[in-house]
Amino acid sequence: MGINILGLGKYVPEQVLTNDDFKRFIDTDDEWIRTRTGICERHMAGWEPTWYMGKEASLVAIKKAGISPEDIGLVISCTATSDFHTPSMASVIQHETGAVNACAFDINAACTGFIYGLDTARRFLETDESMKYALVVANESLSRFVDFKDRASCILFGDGACACVIEKSDKLFASHLASDGSGAGYLCARALDVAPEVKIDKDFDDGFTKNPLHKLYQNGKEVYKFAVNALPESFERISEKTGLTKDEIDWFIPHQANIRIIETASKKLGVLMDKFIVTIDHYGNTSSASIPLALEESVEKGIIKRGQKIALIGFGAGLTYGGIVLEY
Ligand code: COA
């Protein structure tokens, strides 16, 4: 069983941080950031909580889908940067959007979150006859977790949200979800309030001792090596399932982490960059929101059209990775 994407909606904060803006607090320059990452600017949440961005994006998606919120049976919020340990942001968004008949929960698969969320929603729709529509919203405020003293990581991330309303259909759909937990310490942020209790000079090493704080820690080189292989591997796995070759895919939407990762992965996959949707220049890395934001923008611009086959491929902290091939 596949899905039909009925409506997409986004919310990005008004505040924009350009590469030059970083010069105010770290030793960097526009040229370094552009050439190493492909990023020119990113949106930064100001007063908006993360759930608020998700709610705004969801309201647009519901409106575009042309459905009533009461008919939504499931709300999944994909986030690695929740406002709360509890409740789930999905519960808050469920209430705020009027999806009163939905069950609601969060998924944290970091930058692969939307892939995990969309695939999970599809499985719910498949197994629950009474469920008509699902709302999957990816919402992230990386700026609240980034260490603005770490110049190699703080320049990468941006904030934003994107939501989609789906229904079941008999269209093409295949997925691959994976995780390599051995690399969990390469990209991590401790839960707030846990950090002060952690004594990193003890014998006990939980694998995260390089990061005693709740700010984001990143081993950029290890993450890079993982990402350039994860993307082609995930597509190959889906290809094995569907028999579809890369030439039969109209568009590839990779997680927008770094233009150099996307370019290297496109070479490894043997697919020209013309087929890759790239939005990293104006959004930066918005974690789980990056793939749906790129999808939404391409649909709005008329680049992606109904009937086309698209491959969504994510990778990120966990280390999680995975992809979905579907007909739009
Ligand atoms: N501005 C200027 N110089 C910077 C800088 C910045 N913002 N950040 C780092 N540098 C410097 C370093 O200090 C280093 O200087 P040195 O040689 O004098 O020590 C030099 O640039 C090279 O640093 P390095 O860390 O080797 O750069 P890199 O080529 O590996 O690029 C990343 C760094 C983070 C861009 C790259 O590793 C990367 O993209 N990794 C993947 C990160 C990612 O995508 N994470 C999210 C995945 S979901």
Side-chain angles (χ1 to χ4, degrees), residues 92-113:
V92 179
I93 291 166
Q94 178 225 350
H95 169 67
E96 293 283 335
T97 54
V100 290
N101 296 311
C103 61
F105 59 89
D106 287 0
I107 283 186
N108 180 351
C111 304
T112 322

Side-chain angles (χ1 to χ4, degrees), residues 199-218:
K199 303 274 185 291
I200 59 166
D201 55 351
K202 273 189 178 175
D203 290 342
F204 174 68
D205 179 350
D206 67 357
F208 301 94
T209 48
K210 282 204 179 76
N211 185 25
L213 302 173
H214 76 278
K215 293 290 178 199
L216 192 75
Y217 165 81
Q218 171 175 273

Side-chain angles (χ1 to χ4, degrees), residues 83-86 145 189-199 212-215:
D83 299 303
F84 321 105
H85 285 301
T86 194
F145 292 84
R190 283 184 191 275
L192 193 60
D193 298 336
V194 175
E197 305 305 321
V198 177
K199 303 274 185 291
L213 302 173
H214 76 278
K215 293 290 178 199

Side-chain angles (χ1 to χ4, degrees), residues 260-321:
R260 292 194 305 161
I261 291 176
I262 299 173
E263 284 168 353
T264 307
S266 92
K267 277 194 198 116
K268 282 186 181 237
L269 200 56
V271 175
L272 290 177
M273 276 299 285
D274 311 5
K275 270 197 179 185
F276 278 77
I277 304 286
V278 174
T279 57
I280 192 163
D281 54 323
H282 51 284
Y283 286 142
N285 178 348
T286 55
S287 192
S288 71
S290 94
I291 290 175
L293 277 172
L295 174 63
E296 189 271 351
E297 186 172 298
S298 317
V299 166
E300 281 300 303
K301 286 184 173 169
I303 297 166
I304 291 181
K305 298 180 184 65
R306 287 287 177 192
Q308 289 189 322
K309 294 183 185 68
I310 52 177
L312 316 171
I313 305 178
F315 49 84
L319 299 164
T320 56
Y321 58 112

Side-chain angles (χ1 to χ4, degrees), residues 55-254:
K55 182 258 291 191
E56 290 294 306
S58 298
L59 288 174
V60 178
I62 293 167
K63 195 169 175 203
K64 287 212 180 133
I67 63 154
S68 165
E70 294 97 53
D71 291 334
I72 295 171
L74 168 69
V75 176
I76 295 180
S77 161
C78 315
T79 187
T81 56
S82 177
D83 299 303
F84 321 105
H85 285 301
T86 194
S88 73
M89 294 214 302
S91 290
V92 179
I93 291 166
Q94 178 225 350
H95 169 67
E96 293 283 335
T97 54
V100 290
N101 296 311
C103 61
F105 59 89
D106 287 0
I107 283 186
N108 180 351
C111 304
T112 322
F114 184 71
I115 303 295
Y116 271 67
L118 198 60
D119 193 39
T120 303
R122 186 198 64 83
R123 289 168 199 249
F124 265 78
L125 288 172
E126 185 172 21
T127 54
D128 188 337
E129 282 273 301
S130 65
M131 202 177 270
K132 231 171 144 188
Y133 306 115
L135 170 70
V136 182
V137 51
N139 23 201
E140 304 281 8
S141 296
L142 276 299
S143 63
R144 299 203 170 101
F145 292 84
V146 156
D147 180 357
F148 280 99
K149 292 194 193 88
D150 176 9
R151 66 178 180 164
S153 67
C154 71
I155 45 99
L156 298 173
F157 299 99
D159 301 337
C162 194
C164 73
V165 173
I166 60 168
E167 65 177 354
K168 50 193 119 191
S169 86
D170 53 8
K171 286 181 177 179
L172 164 75
F173 187 103
S175 64
H176 164 248
L177 303 181
S179 174
D180 175 7
S182 69
Y186 293 146
L187 192 53
C188 55
R190 283 184 191 275
L192 193 60
D193 298 336
V194 175
E197 305 305 321
V198 177
K199 303 274 185 291
I200 59 166
D201 55 351
K202 273 189 178 175
D203 290 342
F204 174 68
D205 179 350
D206 67 357
F208 301 94
T209 48
K210 282 204 179 76
N211 185 25
L213 302 173
H214 76 278
K215 293 290 178 199
L216 192 75
Y217 165 81
Q218 171 175 273
N219 181 330
K221 286 198 166 49
E222 288 298 335
V223 175
Y224 192 97
K225 276 194 279 181
F226 153 73
V228 295
N229 291 321
L231 200 153
E233 186 193 320
S234 201
F235 182 71
E236 293 304 334
R237 288 290 163 82
I238 300 175
S239 260
E240 286 162 14
K241 285 186 189 178
T242 58
L244 279 174
T245 67
K246 58 195 182 200
D247 301 326
E248 291 170 279
I249 301 297
D250 295 294
W251 297 105
F252 286 81
I253 306 188

